[in-house]
Amino acid sequence: MILIDGKKAAAELREELKKEVTDLKTKYNKVPGLTVILIGDMTPSQIYVRNKEKSANEVGLKSEVIKYPDTVQEETVLEKIEELNNNDSVSGILVQLPLPKHIDKQKVIEKIVPSKDVDGFHPMNVGNLSSGYESSVPCTPLGCYLLIKKIEPNLSGKKAVVVGRSNLNGKPMTQLLLKENCTVTITHSKTKDLKAECLEADIIVAAVGIPELVKGDWVKKDTIVIDVGINKTDKGIVGDVDFDEVSKNAKALTPVPGGVGPMTIACLLKNTIECFKRSQI
Ligand code: NAP
């Protein structure tokens, strides 16, 4: 079984991006800039944002974090986004989720101009992705896609099962696999026989949020299994896939932690660079 090393893949991607930023600096005499808006003092969000800033600096991007208390008015955030939309030195804008209840998440997402939407959540980018046009792609599914392609460069005709249909993970993942000519089944909490669906798959991507849902006897030999889940349990952080069981069957499997997670931030940097490049055309 191939243990898919997300840390190594992310480090390789960051190295490629670092070179690209150096080339862009030579060509345009400026570097892509990422601005993150962080609202409130939730510890996980603060850790994510700190990691994003550190990685952005590492590859040579200009990065900035704008912090607000969780009492900030929605209008203040929307005005700041408008200002960043019009600032040429900002290539990508990300508002760290979740937001306090009094702030309308969708309003915030839609305020970010699609060309700077590095999370790929704006309806325009969602539509472009599903229409097969150029768009920002949500970072976690993009990371999964790059990991799958490392194992199997030609996905044409493969059967893929995506477990979970969230806007963040399952739906964009489905679009990416469709674009590669996979035959994709998207499953969810109302799916009748998830085990039977998974047993058909050459590729399984699990993004559910249920610890170790995908069992060893759900996976046929030679299946690539990507585990997006991050679940806190008594035995520590585990994924949506039963690692011990599935590793006996699968062709390749991502561990949790150390699989998809590290790729997510690297893909955010990739998206920022792509937004910058598109803005220079
Ligand atoms: P979400 O928005 O809660 O969506 C979960 C999906 O799973 C829903 O579509 C739900 O179906 C489906 N589901 C629930 N129970 C199911 C069952 N028994 N069988 C099949 N499908 C079922 O979750 P998310 O935001 O996509 O996150 C999923 C997991 O990924 C979480 O553990 C999260 O922490 C993790 N995550 C990891 C990263 C990373 O960087 N590695 C990034 C983001 C999220 P319905 O639509 O029918 O409710």
Side-chain angles (χ1 to χ4, degrees):
M1 205 257 330
I2 303 168
L3 183 66
I4 305 175
D5 187 342
K7 271 192 195 162
K8 185 165 169 259
E12 285 167 3
L13 178 57
R14 284 198 304 273
E15 209 43 53
E16 279 171 33
L17 297 175
K18 197 171 170 178
K19 285 197 191 90
E20 196 170 3
V21 171
T22 307
D23 292 346
L24 290 170
K25 194 174 175 184
T26 308
K27 189 167 176 192
Y28 297 109
N29 202 26
K30 56 184 175 181
V31 294
L34 171 66
T35 298
V36 177
I37 297 180
L38 174 62
I39 302 170
D41 55 6
M42 272 181 59
T43 313
S45 294
Q46 284 181 332
I47 296 171
Y48 290 143
V49 168
R50 211 176 309 135
N51 289 339
K52 285 170 183 173
E53 195 179 16
K54 189 171 153 258
S55 302
N57 290 331
E58 230 178 79
V59 304
L61 300 183
K62 195 161 85 55
S63 88
E64 176 193 27
V65 179
I66 297 171
K67 291 182 183 167
Y68 290 113
D70 54 15
T71 51
V72 66
Q73 291 303 302
E74 182 182 276
E75 201 47 40
T76 308
V77 179
L78 295 177
E79 279 168 12
K80 176 52 80 178
I81 294 173
E82 181 65 26
E83 186 190 313
L84 297 170
N85 283 342
N86 295 313
N87 180 343
D88 283 347
S89 71
V90 175
S91 323
I93 305 166
L94 179 151
V95 180
Q96 182 65 44
L97 302 177
L99 298 175
K101 283 201 171 60
H102 67 280
I103 298 183
D104 182 337
K105 181 177 96 176
Q106 201 53 28
K107 243 190 199 172
V108 166
I109 288 173
E110 290 182 24
K111 186 71 183 173
I112 299 172
V113 69
S115 58
K116 296 190 181 188
D117 166 36
V118 280
D119 258 337
F121 295 160
H122 192 287
M124 178 86 92
N125 281 319
V126 175
N128 280 341
L129 177 64
S130 65
S131 304
Y133 301 140
E134 197 171 56
S135 67
S136 281
V137 177
C139 304
T140 301
L142 180 58
C144 296
Y145 165 80
L146 295 174
L147 291 176
I148 295 167
K149 290 281 282 183
K150 264 186 187 283
I151 302 295
E152 182 60 70
N154 181 8
L155 300 178
S156 187
K158 300 280 181 202
K159 280 196 168 186
V161 169
V162 177
V163 190
R165 58 174 162 183
S166 69
N167 291 337
L168 179 65
N169 291 308
K171 284 180 191 154
M173 190 70 239
T174 300
Q175 297 300 342
L176 289 170
L177 292 165
L178 262 182
K179 233 175 157 175
E180 289 289 320
N181 298 318
C182 288
T183 302
V184 191
T185 301
I186 183 160
T187 63
H188 45 76
S189 67
K190 309 291 184 291
T191 296
K192 286 251 166 59
D193 190 346
L194 188 56
K195 177 181 172 180
E197 300 294 347
C198 287
L199 274 170
E200 294 284 314
D202 302 309
I203 299 158
I204 297 174
V205 180
V208 186
I210 299 180
E212 301 177 329
L213 174 75
V214 177
K215 303 293 178 202
D217 61 355
W218 293 22
V219 176
K220 65 181 169 73
K221 287 229 174 293
D222 288 339
T223 302
I224 299 171
V225 183
I226 304 292
D227 190 350
V228 181
I230 302 176
N231 307 295
K232 267 191 196 162
T233 68
D234 293 345
K235 60 175 184 179
I237 302 279
V238 302
D240 292 341
V241 174
D242 187 324
F243 184 90
D244 292 340
E245 283 189 11
V246 172
S247 58
K248 289 179 192 144
N249 268 359
K251 171 181 176 179
L253 171 62
T254 55
V256 176
V260 173
M263 284 300 280
T264 297
I265 293 186
C267 286
L268 169 67
L269 310 178
K270 182 175 169 56
N271 279 351
T272 306
I273 293 168
E274 294 303 323
C275 286
F276 173 87
K277 288 196 294 194
R278 288 199 283 269
S279 73
Q280 303 306 311
I281 295 166

